[in-house]
Amino acid sequence: MKLLLIFGSDETYNLISMYIKPLGFELIRYRHVLKAMDNIDEIDPIGIIISAEDFPRHWKILVQFVRASRSKEAAPIILLKGVSFPLEETSKASFLGVSGIVSEALEPMEMDRLQGILSRYIPVEEKRKARRFRPEEWTRMEFLFLDPENRKFVTGTIQSISGTGLSFRADKPGLLENIAPSAKLSECSLLAGNAVLSPVCRVIRTGRNVSLEFISFKNQEHEVLEAYLDQLPLKEYRARKENTILLTQD
């Protein structure tokens, strides 16, 4: 399944790639809209994601070009919008045949929306492998890492996690000032239930939330993480059931 990505930003591409490549897509990226249009028949993508922030005028040309021969069902088009995307442009996007609009900030909720639009084209098994979770108190998940430059520990809260990476909000954002995108973090600690794991991570995006990709784990630790994530739906059900019982007793 080929997914066509049209971005000018390497950072946006790296972040999206981390979350949607495990879904089973072959990612094909273009930095220029017209070149992508020239090759669209050869690529024959199952879906297209384009940045309206990078291409404020050309995204409309692309959508019209694609919709002349491909329906929404045959090739969904997802638009990434910036903070200055006007309301009238949203209406125009819908009229032209855009399947969905997602904020280019790509916070966890926005990434869920992106995956949701694509989900009907993803085999069930692949959905399970890349499902992301937002940890709650009952999940017993924590993360910290050692800054490779100043040797200080950076602690915080996991915003979302999957088998491929996590989104992390630091307790002290100032400690992230020297952390560059693509930096390798070799000394990390991830608590998953009763297991303490030691993944090696790569920084995909910095900012309010830091997005990290898992590069490797020691021994069978990745299987331990996957197994724990697989158990979370059942743990969530039990936690909600216990909470309902307590509220009823009160």
Side-chain angles (χ1 to χ4, degrees):
M1 298 185 296
K2 296 179 181 178
L3 190 64
L4 177 60
L5 309 180
I6 309 173
F7 307 138
S9 167
D10 291 336
E11 184 180 3
T12 301
Y13 171 76
N14 290 336
L15 184 62
I16 284 186
S17 175
M18 180 181 74
Y19 282 111
I20 64 176
K21 193 171 184 179
L23 297 175
F25 289 111
E26 176 187 352
L27 304 185
I28 299 175
R29 180 196 180 183
Y30 278 81
R31 298 174 185 270
H32 303 286
V33 176
L34 297 181
K35 286 185 178 180
M37 290 167 57
D38 286 341
N39 293 283
I40 203 155
D41 288 334
E42 179 182 348
I43 298 168
D44 192 23
I46 196 170
I48 301 169
I49 306 176
I50 180 171
S51 170
E53 181 78 358
D54 295 337
F55 309 106
R57 293 189 298 273
H58 286 84
W59 69 261
K60 299 168 192 171
I61 298 174
L62 174 88
V63 175
Q64 291 175 302
F65 178 80
V66 173
R67 288 291 171 258
S69 59
R70 300 166 190 260
S71 67
K72 283 186 177 182
E73 290 70 27
I77 300 175
I78 300 174
L79 200 64
L80 298 186
K81 67 173 183 177
V83 293
S84 59
F85 194 75
L87 181 61
E88 57 267 25
E89 291 288 84
T90 301
S91 300
K92 190 174 296 183
S94 177
F95 175 77
L96 292 175
V98 169
S99 307
I101 301 176
V102 177
S103 170
E104 192 155 323
L106 293 173
E107 296 290 347
M109 187 174 294
E110 294 298 308
M111 195 62 75
D112 286 345
R113 283 171 48 79
L114 176 64
Q115 290 189 3
I117 296 169
L118 294 171
S119 64
R120 53 184 156 164
Y121 303 94
I122 304 167
V124 174
E125 180 64 15
E126 295 298 337
K127 286 184 191 178
R128 185 193 66 79
K129 289 180 181 178
R131 183 177 177 186
R132 299 189 315 115
F133 298 90
R134 290 197 184 91
E136 313 247 355
E137 289 184 9
W138 49 265
T139 56
R140 284 177 53 79
M141 301 200 77
E142 297 178 10
F143 179 79
L144 61 85
F145 67 88
L146 190 66
D147 187 316
E149 298 296 327
N150 61 29
R151 309 301 295 171
K152 291 183 178 180
F153 281 105
V154 180
T155 62
T157 305
I158 298 174
Q159 301 297 299
S160 66
I161 185 169
S162 72
T164 61
L166 59 84
S167 176
F168 174 79
R169 182 170 296 178
D171 294 328
K172 297 181 180 179
L175 294 177
L176 301 172
E177 291 179 353
N178 297 320
I179 303 293
S182 77
K184 182 178 179 180
L185 305 177
S186 300
E187 297 172 275
C188 304
S189 180
L190 172 63
L191 175 67
N194 295 320
V196 180
L197 314 178
S198 302
V200 175
C201 302
R202 178 183 292 112
V203 179
I204 300 299
R205 171 175 284 188
T206 58
R208 185 181 181 191
N209 288 339
V210 180
S211 295
L212 304 174
E213 176 186 18
F214 297 136
I215 300 175
S216 64
F217 285 83
K218 293 180 179 179
N219 303 321
Q220 304 300 311
E221 287 187 351
H222 191 248
E223 285 77 5
V224 173
L225 174 61
E226 291 279 10
Y228 186 75
L229 293 178
D230 282 345
Q231 296 171 12
L232 287 184
L234 179 58
K235 290 180 180 291
E236 180 179 9
Y237 170 77
R238 288 173 176 170
R240 293 185 184 279
K241 187 175 181 180
E242 290 175 3
N243 187 52
T244 300
I245 292 174
L246 290 174
L247 290 174
T248 302
Q249 291 175 345
D250 291 343

